[in-house]
Amino acid sequence: MKKWAPLLWIPMLALAGWVLADRLEAIDFHDVRQQVLAQPPTTMLLGLLFSAGVYALVGIYEGIAVRMASGRTMPLVAFRTAIISNPISRAIGLALVSGGALRYRMYAAVGLSAREVATVVVLAAMPYFFSVGWLIDLSLLLNAETAAQALRISTGTVLILGVIGLAKDIGWLTFVIRRKTPLTMGGQTLPVPTLRDTSLQLAIGLVQISLMTGILYLFMPDELNMSWPAFIAIYCIAFVAGQLSNVPAGLGVLEAALLLMLPQVPPAKLLGAVLAYRAVFEILPLLIALGLLLMFESTSSSGVLRRRLLRR
């Protein structure tokens, strides 16, 4: 798994390329541009607010993760690190590795050890890890008919998948409640999170991903003909496919998954909505993150640019 898992992006990108090539033949990119430009200013503003909400929660939880991992309270440093590492690691791909490297670069400057930084990286991923499953499973159960049409399977199969997934989610909570001793894996002792910590991770993750889903839902055309709760499962499946592919920002994989699951939406309008989503949720935060990283490297005592300037 260690050897071959990073190469998972190759078949997934090939599949995404095949889907996109098949769909793009019938797309007039003038229509894509029109879909982006047709977004009302109020919709764009609301999308920006949703995006700001996601990153605000990411930054707040990062501070909690740092306190849990090191016992130190540094909310501003943690917030800055989260705002820098999340957009950049998403853009680079292999988010755990690239995000971990950025976190180590910034947290080492304030005295956190490699083990503490590794713990922060794991804790930072927990809200997404837990909440994606809950959102998909609940959405499948509560919107079975809509999900069945999008996934092209029977309603009964959707309900079975939802029940199995929900049983898995409830099983983990039950394990957390009942397990009082650490786990031992590969000679390493891993503490089991408390119910309080697990509940906090789940709550923050649910709000984060709901807001992320809301950004794309705001930009979708009327042909979507789907409620926001029903759309959550579709988004989460496409989002997870993009993350598993390790392709930078899930580029192409997210679009291909949505094209497959939402055939009722004109491809040009769908791609226009995704482009607006990427601009608000990925490109603008990435530019802000790069600016903050440049500032860190220029002003921090361990910054590369600062050391080079001092040498001159």
Side-chain angles (χ1 to χ4, degrees):
M1 287 297 292
K2 289 180 180 178
K3 183 177 181 180
W4 298 110
L7 299 180
L8 182 64
W9 66 272
I10 296 176
M12 295 194 72
L13 186 60
L15 177 61
W18 176 76
V19 172
L20 289 174
D22 181 62
R23 298 296 193 277
L24 291 179
E25 290 181 353
I27 293 178
D28 184 347
F29 284 93
H30 175 74
D31 294 337
V32 176
R33 178 174 175 272
Q34 288 298 111
Q35 175 67 18
V36 176
L37 296 178
Q39 298 294 337
T42 52
T43 301
M44 295 297 295
L45 178 60
L46 193 56
L48 288 170
L49 290 175
F50 278 21
S51 182
V54 173
Y55 285 103
L57 285 172
V58 167
I60 292 169
Y61 180 72
E62 184 93 6
I64 297 171
V66 168
R67 179 173 53 78
M68 292 168 63
S70 67
R72 299 173 60 181
T73 301
M74 48 179 74
L76 293 180
V77 172
F79 193 93
R80 179 190 62 183
T81 302
I83 297 303
I84 290 174
S85 63
N86 277 271
I88 294 178
S89 63
R90 188 177 291 113
I92 293 174
L94 290 170
L96 281 178
V97 177
S98 55
L102 282 167
R103 283 184 171 90
Y104 183 75
R105 172 81 185 94
M106 304 185 74
Y107 284 135
V110 293
L112 266 65
S113 67
R115 180 181 291 273
E116 289 170 339
V117 175
T119 304
V120 172
V121 171
V122 173
L123 289 173
M126 287 302 178
Y128 290 102
F129 180 78
F130 289 135
S131 56
V132 163
W134 277 94
L135 284 171
I136 291 177
D137 300 332
L138 289 173
S139 183
L140 290 177
L141 288 174
L142 297 176
N143 305 276
E145 292 186 5
T146 304
Q149 293 175 2
L151 299 174
R152 295 182 176 84
I153 56 179
S154 68
T155 303
T157 303
V158 169
L159 291 172
I160 291 172
L161 292 174
V163 169
I164 293 174
L166 196 59
K168 172 260 299 177
D169 301 328
I170 296 173
W172 171 250
L173 283 182
T174 303
F175 175 79
V176 166
I177 293 170
R178 300 188 63 176
R179 180 83 181 198
K180 304 301 181 184
T181 57
L183 295 172
T184 301
M185 297 178 64
Q188 298 292 323
T189 300
L190 303 175
V192 177
T194 64
L195 178 61
R196 177 179 175 274
D197 291 340
T198 301
S199 300
L200 176 64
Q201 292 165 350
L202 181 59
I204 289 179
L206 288 174
V207 177
Q208 284 178 2
I209 296 182
S210 295
L211 289 174
M212 290 163 59
T213 309
I215 297 170
L216 181 55
Y217 185 77
L218 283 171
F219 297 136
M220 293 296 287
D222 294 336
E223 288 87 345
L224 177 65
N225 194 28
M226 185 181 295
S227 66
W228 184 4
F231 183 67
I232 287 175
I234 305 302
Y235 173 88
C236 287
I237 292 170
F239 176 78
V240 170
Q243 294 298 303
L244 290 177
S245 70
N246 289 324
V247 176
L251 191 63
V253 179
L254 176 71
E255 288 82 353
L258 290 172
L259 284 168
L260 283 173
M261 291 187 288
L262 300 172
Q264 76 275 20
V265 180
K269 291 186 176 182
L270 191 150
L271 291 180
V274 175
L275 183 59
Y277 159 84
R278 288 194 180 279
V280 167
F281 181 64
E282 294 174 354
I283 297 175
L284 180 59
L286 176 61
L287 294 176
I288 293 172
L290 291 173
L292 290 174
L293 181 60
L294 180 63
M295 187 182 301
F296 169 80
E297 296 293 354
S298 302
T299 60
S300 173
S301 58
S302 60
V304 174
L305 294 178
R306 179 184 172 87
R307 290 202 302 268
R308 290 188 176 182
L309 289 173
L310 290 176
R311 287 174 187 170
R312 293 181 181 180

